[in-house]
Amino acid sequence: MDICPNCTNKLTRKDASYCCYCGQSTCNFNQSFKKVLVRSTYEIFDIDGRVATTLKKLLFSPAFLSIEYSIGKIKSYSPPLRMYLVSSLILFITIELFQSTPNQTFDQVGIFLVPKGILEQLSRIMFVMLPIYACILQFFHQDKRYIYNLIFSLHIHSLSNLLLTSALIAQSLATHDLIIVLASIFLIIYLLVYIIIAMKKFFGKSWMITTVNFLGVYAIYLSSLVFVLEIVLKTKQ
Ligand SMILES: [Zn+2]
């Protein structure tokens, strides 16, 4: 095959796997079913492999994905925005599944009680908080471009979504209150330690400056969150 069937440009190499103009695979379907099946299976598992690697890195290697993205290693991992949207969707479904009885004024999330209505609005609230978080990071780290802080923000919020999902699942499966308390404490400590290590690695400052920046970022972030929550609760009334 010398011509790409999709964009009709001439292929630069006879053995090319993809067209360098439009990116279409040179694999045509005019071959044995077995060959097509093997190749398709390989492609599907390749994608799955990427998702699994990305998830593992997101959960256990603070800032790894954000750093890989900033140095241009993009193709090996799932895109940050897609990961954030998928983790939000998983969280949203979990909230819908494990919601408490409708006549209560509070929802229980681990050891916390949150006013009714917040959980249902959480994905929308977080979508607002995501760029705010990146702005606050920008304020403390003028040397980083905003886009990199936004990628960092997407990764941290994706991780938070997954931890919150685990908290809700643990809570609904727990047979004893002590398990809920221990699971909540573990997840909160995990998140805090993860964020500090991620900030240390991503921004490359000393531990002292990282800790001060962490406290500053979260003081502003939590104040903004309370402000946004108040607006959400007021508009609901
Ligand atoms: Zn082409």
Side-chain angles (χ1 to χ4, degrees), residues 40-56 76-78 82:
S40 308
T41 312
Y42 172 79
E43 278 180 7
I44 290 165
F45 279 101
D46 194 25
I47 294 166
D48 279 350
R50 195 169 79 148
V51 170
T53 315
T54 311
L55 198 62
K56 212 171 101 190
S76 315
Y77 310 100
S78 308
R82 188 190 299 167

Side-chain angles (χ1 to χ4, degrees), residues 163-206:
L163 292 186
L164 191 52
T165 305
S166 329
L168 289 170
I169 292 173
Q171 182 183 310
S172 65
L173 296 178
T175 46
H176 204 279
D177 280 351
L178 185 68
I179 301 172
I180 299 176
V181 173
L182 290 178
S184 308
I185 292 173
F186 171 76
L187 290 171
I188 293 165
I189 292 175
Y190 189 87
L191 181 65
L192 292 179
V193 172
Y194 182 103
I195 294 171
I196 294 190
I197 296 176
M199 283 178 76
K200 165 83 177 115
K201 282 192 181 167
F202 190 66
F203 298 107
K205 303 278 194 268
S206 70

Side-chain angles (χ1 to χ4, degrees), residues 104-124:
Q104 283 176 322
T105 42
F106 288 98
D107 277 318
Q108 193 189 352
V109 182
I111 48 175
F112 298 107
L113 287 176
V114 292
K116 197 86 198 153
I118 292 291
L119 274 185
E120 296 106 86
Q121 300 291 327
L122 198 68
S123 47
R124 248 173 266 176

